[in-house]
Amino acid sequence: MSFQSLNAGTQFVATSRDILHQNQITVTIGSNFLKYRALLKTERPQQVLGAPFDPDVHDLNDQNAFWLIARDVDGMMMHTQASRLIDLGDQSLSGYMLKRFRDFPPAIPDLDLKRSRYRASPGANRIKGQVVYHGEVWMGDTGQYRGTGLSTVLARYGIHEAMCRWNPDYIFGFMARTVAFKGFAERMGYMHNEPGALRWYRKGSDTPFEGFVSYLSNEDTRYLLEMPVIDVVDVPQPQKKAA
């Protein structure tokens, strides 16, 4: 049974579109990652395209991946995210990542991949089947929208798109410990957030960069998207610019 056939998330999408329209935010979704990379090079130079979405390495198309860009009233890029479908079959996410975690590095320079490691968390041992990797989540320094809760609406908009396209068994992502401690996982809607999954080292440094694994089951995601937006975020109107 497809996600669409259950009519799940209809209220969420309608309300979210109203919020985005009221704040004069436009959303573009695409699957051409060469185009996406070019846009990032021009408009998000401080953070290069993440390795999991590199079109030179992966065969990314409208059947297995998409990106999402949000722009403010002035047309400036204010938000990005991307999702990619992975067929694990009967293999667990933990088994997959023990061999492949270096394919999902954080966007920091000079990584020492030999010293870095992945540790299987309890949830990752249970995650199997059709899964979606959710990454590229970035919010620009658009002052008038900071603290408005729009990151919550936009993140869940992307999660809804993934459900409509693939109806996956799980959606997962990785999150820096410092970001997780600020409650970002909850704002994005992730109902499971397990520490100690990743430990990255930079060359010449003994201070690790810790990462959590965050995930949603199919059932979790349906529950999340059927909730009224007002129950998860309070979005005030942006202040008008002075004339």
Side-chain angles (χ1 to χ4, degrees):
M1 183 177 292
S2 70
F3 180 71
Q4 298 97 314
S5 67
L6 292 179
N7 202 31
T10 301
Q11 183 182 23
F12 167 81
V13 171
T15 307
S16 297
R17 286 175 176 168
D18 286 344
I19 291 171
L20 296 175
H21 178 72
Q22 290 165 10
N23 286 273
Q24 301 182 69
I25 293 171
T26 58
V27 173
T28 303
I29 296 174
S31 292
N32 184 335
F33 279 81
L34 292 172
K35 177 180 179 180
Y36 179 62
R37 181 170 62 186
L39 290 171
L40 298 188
K41 185 176 181 180
T42 301
E43 302 183 67
R44 198 188 75 180
Q46 68 273 39
Q47 183 176 320
V48 299
L49 175 64
F53 298 99
D54 185 345
D56 293 337
V57 177
H58 305 286
D59 180 16
L60 304 173
N61 53 67
D62 59 2
Q63 300 300 309
N64 64 11
F66 71 87
W67 48 262
L68 182 154
I69 288 175
R71 298 183 182 277
D72 64 19
V73 63
D74 297 318
M76 300 292 292
M77 183 183 293
M78 61 167 290
H79 171 76
T80 66
Q81 59 180 290
S83 289
R84 173 181 145 202
L85 184 65
I86 301 173
D87 184 4
L88 293 178
D90 292 331
Q91 181 183 26
S92 68
L93 180 64
S94 58
Y96 179 87
M97 282 296 166
L98 283 170
K99 299 176 182 178
R100 303 285 296 273
F101 80 94
R102 293 179 180 85
D103 295 340
F104 297 81
I108 56 177
D110 301 322
L111 283 177
D112 188 336
L113 296 179
K114 291 184 178 179
R115 286 198 298 159
S116 301
R117 65 104 176 112
Y118 168 80
R119 178 185 180 190
S121 60
N125 287 324
R126 296 189 293 269
I127 295 174
K128 297 179 180 180
Q130 296 280 314
V131 304
V132 167
Y133 172 67
H134 185 206
E136 281 289 296
V137 179
W138 171 83
M139 288 293 294
D141 188 17
T142 52
Q144 69 182 118
Y145 297 116
R146 284 229 174 252
T148 63
L150 283 170
S151 60
T152 297
V153 174
L154 289 164
R156 297 179 195 214
Y157 200 95
I159 289 172
H160 177 269
E161 179 70 17
M163 284 293 285
C164 287
R165 286 179 179 236
W166 304 307
N167 194 28
D169 297 300
Y170 290 91
I171 297 174
F172 80 97
F174 297 116
M175 190 170 299
R177 181 177 67 175
T178 53
V179 176
F181 282 173
K182 294 178 181 179
F184 194 63
E186 288 78 8
R187 293 201 299 275
M188 288 188 67
Y190 281 107
M191 296 172 67
H192 308 277
N193 201 36
E194 300 181 337
L198 289 164
R199 176 170 290 178
W200 300 97
Y201 286 94
R202 296 183 66 178
K203 294 177 182 178
S205 174
D206 291 326
T207 303
F209 180 83
E210 301 280 356
F212 284 44
V213 60
S214 304
Y215 68 93
L216 289 159
S217 69
N218 186 285
E219 183 181 24
D220 294 334
T221 311
R222 291 169 183 269
Y223 173 80
L224 178 75
L225 294 176
E226 288 171 356
M227 294 178 66
V229 174
I230 194 65
D231 288 354
V232 295
V233 63
D234 180 21
V235 185
Q237 297 297 311
Q239 296 182 355
K240 294 182 179 180
K241 294 183 178 179

